Amino acid sequence: MSGSARVATASTPRFVLILIGVGGFLDAYTYLTRGGVFANTQTGNVILLATSGAAGEWHRAVAHLWSILAFVVGVLVATVLRTWWRDATSAALLVSVTSAQALVLGVVAAVPAEWPNVVVTVPIAFVAAMQMELFRTIGGMPIITIATTGNLMRFVESVHALLTQRDAESRRRCALYSAVVAAFAGGAVVGAIVSRWLGTPAVAVCAVAMIVVALFVVHDARQIDADAPEPEG
């Protein structure tokens, strides 16, 4: 795999839909197994932080605060990577990030249930923030890989465009955004079922999914290298 190979994988449906499914899974997982904290969706954590603080339940408020702070740091680190990395769409960067996510989630899967929830929610929030910052499009359209509100809004807009314009582009947008919303909801359903079945080790499913994503990147990059014309001279 050429380190400088540019790959379209980061915005292709198969890549992004897996990431979105993992996002739904992780929110269901942490909510059910780790004290009702949303490791991905920080809107929920901000609300729960505020309501817990207003009720004087500071121990609950702090649990949500740590997740928010980890998310902020994750966005900052991803932003620095986007600035420093020579090619933000390079296979090397994509493989590095997805492999790091797989490693973190694999380690989290081994954390005993009796350990403090913050040991799990903080690293998950960190890698979720990096994912959201680095992977922002699907088929050239803006998306959020770790939440569904914005994607749901765009889905409704695309349905309206389809009904009023009836052209190929509106059909494509409607199909992609419906898949995005379905992927997140499906991931949450699977996350809830597997979390109730396996308990805290259930997050290992997401680690495997991220390994699959990394393999997609490697495959695509090698295909591009194989198809590239030989240099002259």
Side-chain angles (χ1 to χ4, degrees):
M1 178 180 64
S2 172
S4 62
R6 295 177 62 87
V7 292
T9 308
S11 63
T12 56
R14 69 173 182 179
F15 182 96
V16 178
L17 292 178
I18 293 176
L19 292 181
I20 292 171
V22 167
F25 189 113
L26 288 175
D27 263 344
Y29 168 78
T30 56
Y31 185 79
L32 291 173
T33 69
R34 292 298 176 177
V37 173
F38 294 105
N40 285 345
T41 309
Q42 299 309 311
T43 301
N45 284 328
V46 170
I47 293 171
L48 294 172
L49 169 66
T51 55
S52 297
E57 299 174 343
W58 300 112
H59 63 292
R60 293 180 180 274
V62 169
H64 299 289
L65 176 61
W66 286 122
S67 182
I68 295 169
L69 292 176
F71 189 89
V72 170
V73 173
V75 171
L76 177 61
V77 170
T79 301
V80 171
L81 283 176
R82 289 172 65 91
T83 302
W84 286 357
W85 207 278
R86 181 169 54 88
D87 181 359
T89 64
S90 72
L93 174 59
L94 299 183
V95 170
S96 297
V97 171
T98 52
S99 298
Q101 287 181 285
L103 176 62
V104 169
L105 296 174
V107 171
V108 164
V111 174
E114 60 271 15
W115 282 30
N117 293 329
V118 69
V119 176
V120 169
T121 57
V122 163
I124 289 180
F126 177 82
V127 297
M130 292 190 64
Q131 176 179 308
M132 186 188 75
E133 178 66 22
L134 293 173
F135 308 116
R136 297 182 173 188
T137 63
I138 179 171
M141 301 185 308
I143 50 94
I144 299 175
T145 61
I146 64 169
T148 195
T149 304
N151 298 330
L152 185 60
M153 177 192 70
R154 294 185 180 101
F155 167 66
V156 174
E157 292 173 345
S158 69
V159 170
H160 176 266
L162 177 62
L163 294 176
T164 56
Q165 300 174 20
R166 300 181 184 276
D167 58 6
E169 177 60 18
S170 61
R171 286 194 294 271
R172 185 182 78 92
R173 293 176 66 88
C174 187
L176 285 176
Y177 279 125
S178 63
V180 165
V181 173
F184 190 87
V189 170
V190 173
I193 293 172
V194 177
S195 295
R196 289 193 173 99
W197 177 36
L198 296 179
T200 53
V203 74
V205 172
C206 295
V208 173
M210 297 311 299
I211 292 173
V212 171
V213 169
L215 291 176
F216 279 157
V217 177
V218 173
H219 174 271
D220 288 358
R222 286 178 175 172
Q223 190 64 47
I224 290 174
D225 288 342
D227 294 342
E230 293 291 334
E232 298 181 1

